[in-house]
């Protein structure tokens, strides 16, 4: 029976089966020419001719899909995306198995090497003999004090490389007339050796008068000397002592207030084994108000010192033997330094003839910003001094505005510097002293107090908590002292061997004050032991 419903114009006479698959429907449309030119235009998503269901396609009606089929496929796609995201999240967050093999480690503790010290000997001058201007002249002798483990201490003199005075006495444990080398085993029993040695000397001659006390330091291949002058009647001699059995070749880089100084003959000084060489800085850098010297050595190690004498007309202005300074550091502490007077003229103080002067040097390639803080014994601080140091240029900073008294001076920098502090007496008899920084110490160390006028032990802590230390006197009597942060404690001592226990970031110095005599010796620890070495295999 013919259908009673009208057919649309151009529609196919073939009817799709209600149970036909989408492929069958596509084939039927293709056979009927529904995709031809006369087919009606549809939107990309529009209504098809069958049951008003949506289809997807362009002109000609493409593949027709049922509404439920389209949304099902969209839902399946979303589920797939969700499953993929969940998989990625699980991989990123889930703990993965970890396999590791711990390497076997062997800790090696090197045996401590011998403890060794070089004492520079008495005040050393050149040009004292008209017959031999290059001959070394020693002013008197130096008294020696040793402290710590000294039972097996070996002592040997270091002879000048040129003609030596015939009257120079042989070195002993108590006195030396020439530089001397001291050596002790690195271990006593099962403990590392503790050793401290210091010297003092007094010159009383018309052309050189003054008192100096100096720490005897380990020989080194790299060291700094801060101090000395060849201006205004001052003279300075550099001494290089080689305690070893091999020749040392020393390069001296010399700096002044204008920067690096041309120093002919200082680029490769040969110091034969077991000898001392002395160089007059007046001959290589005359009329220089300030020196800093950096010494590097090949072939061996040396002990170095500066011997400075002040002279104004025929009037002696003092003398000092200056030992090597600690390595460059961003913090330096000078403990309990006496400021005998307030300098009225800062320019005069700046050139070191009166008052207190802090000599600073930045060895790096860039400028160094530093802050200088002076604190009295109670810890009260004066107005800090801030300045920027040009690299490679010596700076003498006058501290003459500080009232007369005793101060602990701290230098804080944003990069490492070297420094030394000079104070002087302004009343006759004159003298001056160069004071070196004291390193912070922990635990125990020995203190050798050399003979001199009114020796005092200056103690402070750079930490933030009180520290109780025990000072053991030469007769074995213990003295307990509690050090408060920022404060300086002063103890009267006498020449002899001391021991101090319980230190924690403690800085200390022995100072000497008397008519026409002043100097200071920083307390330093023994030679550092080699650190443990861990070997992995």
């Amino acid at each position: 029976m013919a259908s009673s419903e009208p057919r649309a114009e151009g529609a196919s006479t073939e009817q799709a089966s209600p149970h036909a698959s989408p492929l069958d429907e596509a084939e039927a449309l293709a056979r009927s020419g529904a995709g031809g030119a006369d087919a009606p235009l549809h939107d990309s998503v529009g209504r098809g001719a069958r049951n008003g269901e949506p289809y997807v396609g362009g002109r000609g009606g493409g593949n027709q899909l049922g509404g439920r089929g389209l949304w099902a496929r969209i839902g399946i796609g979303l589920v797939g995306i969700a499953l993929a995201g969940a998989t990625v999240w699980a991989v990123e967050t889930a703990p993965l198995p970890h396999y590791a093999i711990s390497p076997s480690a062997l800790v090696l503790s090197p045996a401590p090497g011998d403890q060794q010290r070089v004492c520079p000997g008495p005040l050393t001058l050149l040009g004292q003999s008209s017959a031999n201007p290059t001959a070394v002249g020693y002013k008197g002798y130096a008294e020696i004090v040793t402290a710590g483990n000294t039972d097996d201490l070996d002592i040997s003199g270091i002879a000048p490389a040129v003609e030596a005075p015939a009257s120079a006495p042989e070195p002993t444990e108590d006195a030396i007339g020439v530089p001397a080398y001291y050596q002790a085993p690195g271990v006593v029993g099962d403990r590392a050796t503790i050793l401290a040695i210091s010297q003092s000397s007094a010159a009383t001659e018309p052309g050189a008068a003054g008192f100096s006390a100096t720490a005897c330091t380990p020989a080194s291949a790299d060291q700094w000397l801060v101090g000395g002058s060849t201006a205004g009647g001052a003279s300075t001699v550099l001494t290089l002592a080689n305690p070893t059995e091999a020749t040392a070749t020393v390069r001296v880089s010399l700096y002044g207030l204008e920067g690096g100084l041309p120093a002919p003959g200082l680029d490769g000084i040969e110091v034969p084994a077991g000898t001392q060489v002395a160089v007059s800085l007046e001959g290589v850098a005359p009329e220089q108000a300030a020196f800093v010297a950096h010494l590097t050595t090949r072939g061996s190690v040396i002990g170095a010192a500066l011997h400075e004498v002040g002279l104004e007309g025929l009037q002696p202005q003092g003398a000092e033997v200056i030992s090597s300074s600690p390595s460059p550091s961003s913090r330096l502490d000078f403990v309990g330094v006496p400021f005998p007077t307030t300098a009225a003229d800062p320019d005069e103080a700046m050139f070191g003839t009166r008052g207190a002067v802090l000599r600073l040097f930045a060895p790096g390639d860039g400028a160094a910003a530093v802050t200088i803080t002076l604190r009295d014994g109670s810890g009260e601080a004066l107005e800090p001094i801030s300045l920027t140091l040009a690299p490679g240029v010596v700076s003498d900073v006058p501290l003459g505005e500080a009232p007369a008294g005793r101060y602990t001076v701290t230098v804080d920098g944003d990069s490492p510097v070297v420094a030394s502090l000079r104070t002087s007496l302004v009343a006759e008899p004159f003298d001056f002293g160069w004071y070196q920084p004291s390193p912070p110490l922990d635990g125990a160390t020995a203190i050798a107090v050399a003979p001199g006028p009114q020796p005092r032990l200056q103690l402070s802590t750079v930490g933030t908590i009180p520290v109780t230390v025990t000072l053991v006197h030469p007769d074995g009597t213990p003295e307990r002292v509690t050090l408060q942060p920022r404060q300086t404690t002063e103890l009267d001592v006498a020449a002899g061997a001391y021991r101090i226990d319980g230190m924690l970031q403690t800085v200390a110095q022995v100072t000497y004050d008397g008519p026409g005599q002043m100097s200071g010796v920083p307390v330093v620890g023994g030679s550092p032991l080699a650190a443990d070495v861990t070997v992995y295999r």
Side-chain angles (χ1 to χ4, degrees), residues 84 244 314 357 401 425:
T244 72
L314 298 177
V357 178
E401 295 184 0
L425 299 171

Side-chain angles (χ1 to χ4, degrees), residues 22-374:
L23 181 58
D24 295 335
E25 291 181 4
E27 292 175 351
L29 287 172
R31 286 195 300 272
S32 65
D38 296 331
L41 296 177
H42 302 276
D43 294 330
S44 294
V45 178
R47 293 290 173 180
R50 185 172 64 87
N51 298 327
E53 294 179 351
Y55 73 94
V56 178
R59 183 185 297 273
N63 292 336
Q64 297 185 17
L65 299 175
R68 288 185 297 275
L70 173 65
W71 295 110
R73 292 191 177 190
I74 293 174
I76 292 172
L78 293 175
V79 171
I81 293 172
L83 290 174
T87 302
V88 172
W89 176 85
V91 170
E92 291 182 348
T93 59
L96 298 176
H98 176 72
Y99 300 97
I101 299 176
S102 299
S104 58
L106 179 64
V107 178
L108 303 178
S109 299
D114 288 347
Q115 295 272 332
Q116 47 88 13
R117 301 289 187 273
V118 176
C119 294
L123 185 66
T124 302
L125 302 177
L126 295 175
Q128 302 296 295
S129 170
S130 59
N132 185 3
T134 62
V136 176
Y138 297 113
K139 297 301 180 182
Y141 62 94
E143 295 185 85
I144 300 293
V145 170
T146 62
N149 305 119
T150 60
D151 291 341
D152 297 318
L153 194 64
D154 291 331
I155 309 169
S156 57
I158 302 174
V162 296
E163 181 182 352
S167 60
E170 289 296 321
T172 67
E173 192 170 342
D174 301 320
I176 56 174
V178 295
Y181 177 60
Y182 295 78
Q183 186 172 9
V187 176
V188 176
D190 59 351
R191 294 180 177 272
T193 297
I194 296 177
L195 180 65
I197 304 176
S198 64
Q199 68 164 54
S200 62
S201 62
T204 57
E205 298 185 12
F211 171 82
S212 63
T214 311
C216 301
T217 58
S220 173
D222 190 319
Q223 54 192 305
W224 293 86
L225 293 168
V226 183
S229 171
T230 57
S235 63
T236 301
V237 172
L238 168 66
T239 58
L240 309 170
N242 179 1
T244 72
E245 298 179 354
T247 296
T249 302
V250 184
R251 178 181 181 181
V252 181
S253 299
L254 207 58
Y255 302 89
L257 296 174
E258 301 297 328
L261 297 172
L266 296 188
D267 195 16
I269 304 172
E270 286 197 356
V271 185
T275 67
Q276 181 203 55
V277 169
V279 179
S280 171
L281 295 188
E282 290 176 277
V284 296
E287 294 302 319
Q288 294 292 325
F291 289 116
V292 169
H294 183 208
L295 284 63
T296 54
T297 307
R298 293 182 290 107
S300 185
V301 293
I302 61 165
L306 294 173
H307 303 247
E308 182 181 359
V309 173
L311 191 65
E312 186 174 317
L314 298 177
Q315 179 66 50
Q317 300 294 304
E320 183 73 301
V321 178
I322 307 164
S323 61
S324 58
S325 294
S327 299
S329 175
S330 58
R331 173 165 178 151
L332 301 170
D333 293 281
F334 303 84
V335 190
V337 178
F339 284 38
T341 185
T342 299
D345 185 354
D347 291 335
E348 191 177 22
M350 186 172 183
F351 288 99
T353 56
R354 298 288 185 270
V357 178
L358 179 64
R359 182 164 296 175
L360 294 162
F361 181 79
D365 295 330
V370 299
T371 300
I372 305 165
T373 305
L374 283 70

